[in-house]
Amino acid sequence: NRFLRAAIERTPADFWADHEVRAVALWSAAARASWLVGDDAGMDRHVATIHAHVSDMTTRLRAAEIVVQAKIARGQLHEALTAAIDVLNEAGVEISRHPTQDEVMAAVGATLGALGDRSIEEIAQTRSDDKLEAARRGLLIRISSGAYVAEPNLLPLIACELVQRSVAHGVSRESSYGFGVLSLVLTAGWMLDLGAMHGRNALWLLDKLPDRELEGTVRHVVYFFSRSFSDPLREVHDDAADVYRTLMNVGDLEYAGWALLMRVTYGFWSGMRLERLSEEIDHAVEFMRLNGIDAALHCTLPYQQLVRCLQGEHADASRLVSDDYDEAQALTTLKSIDFQAAVLEIGRASCRERV
């Protein structure tokens, strides 16, 4: 971050006019670096500079993606979704900020209709290399985890948009994620065979269009969601041991946090020994706190307290209360920011504790 800031300070006054591509790359890198070290003001300043100098929609989408990713990682989910939907609408992607159940059902039906009975091999014969289209798809992917937590009806629309755009304009590296989330949506709707098939399609596309940045994300979605309905949870837990590292290695700390949470969850519900599970949870919580991954942290802390209760570490084993955590206070805070997923995890952990 210091090196990039120093580089910006040394650029000549006409740098943007003479070297726009290089300037965008430098300011984008500086914005991302500022976020990673917790300098949100610096990130906002760098992105604002990009917007002030560039009207190209592809560049604006890429810059917006940095801000959106930072907001999601900080737990500012609704702000992130609003910012992303606004710029996506500006870029020609018509998607509702607060979709209804009827809109979800219509989108899923339209997507299955667009797919028809074509195999994934047939669909993949047409490829998309359009940069603006890639930027649209990239931002849709970026907001999907925030939608899952804060605006659940939005996630199916994102998946359907990605798959329909892949069918209409050609597949790209982002398509594997669209099919992966579609598998989640179909599985949640109890269309298990279709869900499993499109999970396999997602992994097939990932193999044919490998992408280091998306590998961990696609595996996260397919492993932790559609596979959980067809494979033993302990098997999924063990197979996904390296998913968070794959995500961390490409700087996707937010998804790395969610991957750790899912391993904690599957470890608990598959009956992992408490000593081993406690170590895994403590590592996850430390990682999330170190990197400011508040959204996943709020969902993980109830499991940390639950395991401590089961190990006899709490004086009152009937409540998730310790020196550094109180379930009642946590619920009040999370309800005030409409963090539904974290409230649900507290409820699950509390119920299991009382049983």
Side-chain angles (χ1 to χ4, degrees), residues 225-293:
F225 295 97
S226 60
R227 276 193 64 188
S228 66
F229 283 83
S230 58
D231 299 332
L233 294 185
R234 180 64 63 82
E235 181 179 314
V236 176
H237 171 277
D238 294 344
D239 287 349
D242 65 330
V243 170
Y244 98 92
R245 290 189 181 277
T246 302
L247 292 160
M248 184 176 65
N249 289 342
V250 297
D252 196 342
L253 301 180
E254 175 223 340
Y255 254 100
W258 291 121
L260 285 171
L261 167 64
M262 296 307 295
R263 270 179 53 82
V264 165
T265 305
Y266 284 21
F268 179 84
W269 293 109
S270 65
M272 181 183 291
R273 292 183 63 85
L274 292 178
E275 294 80 3
R276 179 185 167 194
L277 182 60
S278 179
E279 293 177 359
E280 194 166 300
I281 295 175
D282 289 347
H283 168 260
V285 167
E286 181 181 6
F287 175 85
M288 293 169 191
R289 282 181 168 152
L290 178 65
N291 293 285
I293 309 172

Side-chain angles (χ1 to χ4, degrees), residues 55-318:
S55 59
D56 172 65
M57 184 52 65
T58 299
T59 300
R60 293 174 68 85
L61 283 164
R62 295 300 189 195
E65 187 175 343
I66 298 171
V67 176
V68 167
Q69 183 178 12
K71 288 183 180 297
I72 291 176
R74 300 281 188 262
Q76 300 167 352
L77 305 182
H78 289 285
E79 294 91 333
L81 294 175
T82 297
I85 295 299
D86 285 347
V87 72
L88 282 166
N89 289 341
E90 185 182 350
V93 179
E94 296 298 327
I95 190 168
S96 175
R97 172 64 180 85
H98 302 288
T100 64
Q101 191 65 31
D102 286 343
E103 289 178 281
V104 171
M105 294 173 65
V108 171
T111 302
L112 294 178
L115 288 166
D117 59 359
R118 283 178 290 176
S119 68
I120 192 63
E121 291 84 359
E122 292 177 279
I123 294 169
Q125 288 178 2
T126 304
R127 303 292 174 90
S128 172
D129 58 2
D130 181 82
K131 292 182 179 179
L132 176 56
E133 182 62 19
R136 293 182 181 116
R137 297 180 189 188
L139 188 53
L140 284 166
I141 289 173
R142 181 56 58 200
I143 63 173
S144 58
S145 65
Y148 175 77
V149 172
E151 193 76 50
N153 280 347
L154 182 57
L155 184 64
L157 264 63
I158 292 171
C160 291
E161 187 73 27
L162 286 166
V163 172
Q164 289 188 45
R165 300 187 81 88
S166 296
V167 173
H169 306 295
V171 300
S172 63
R173 68 183 186 88
E174 296 86 7
S175 299
S176 61
Y177 185 82
F179 278 87
V181 179
L182 179 62
S183 76
L184 180 160
V185 172
L186 295 171
T187 300
W190 216 242
M191 291 181 274
L192 301 184
D193 290 340
L194 275 176
M197 181 185 74
H198 287 302
R200 293 191 297 270
N201 287 343
L203 296 177
W204 185 91
L205 284 168
L206 184 64
D207 180 63
K208 297 302 179 182
L209 295 169
D211 186 272
R212 184 169 174 263
E213 291 187 7
L214 277 177
E215 177 191 353
T217 308
V218 174
R219 290 176 60 206
H220 168 79
V221 171
V222 175
Y223 282 18
F224 289 126
F225 295 97
S226 60
R227 276 193 64 188
S228 66
F229 283 83
S230 58
D231 299 332
L233 294 185
R234 180 64 63 82
E235 181 179 314
V236 176
H237 171 277
D238 294 344
D239 287 349
D242 65 330
V243 170
Y244 98 92
R245 290 189 181 277
T246 302
L247 292 160
M248 184 176 65
N249 289 342
V250 297
D252 196 342
L253 301 180
E254 175 223 340
Y255 254 100
W258 291 121
L260 285 171
L261 167 64
M262 296 307 295
R263 270 179 53 82
V264 165
T265 305
Y266 284 21
F268 179 84
W269 293 109
S270 65
M272 181 183 291
R273 292 183 63 85
L274 292 178
E275 294 80 3
R276 179 185 167 194
L277 182 60
S278 179
E279 293 177 359
E280 194 166 300
I281 295 175
D282 289 347
H283 168 260
V285 167
E286 181 181 6
F287 175 85
M288 293 169 191
R289 282 181 168 152
L290 178 65
N291 293 285
I293 309 172
D294 296 337
L297 176 65
H298 286 309
C299 295
T300 307
L301 288 173
Y303 284 97
Q304 185 181 54
Q305 299 303 316
L306 173 58
V307 170
R308 289 177 178 176
C309 283
L310 294 174
Q311 290 179 306
E313 297 182 18
H314 289 181
D316 182 359
S318 66

Side-chain angles (χ1 to χ4, degrees), residues 19-32:
H19 307 284
E20 183 178 287
V21 174
R22 293 169 61 188
V24 168
L26 176 58
W27 262 260
S28 296
R32 189 175 296 278

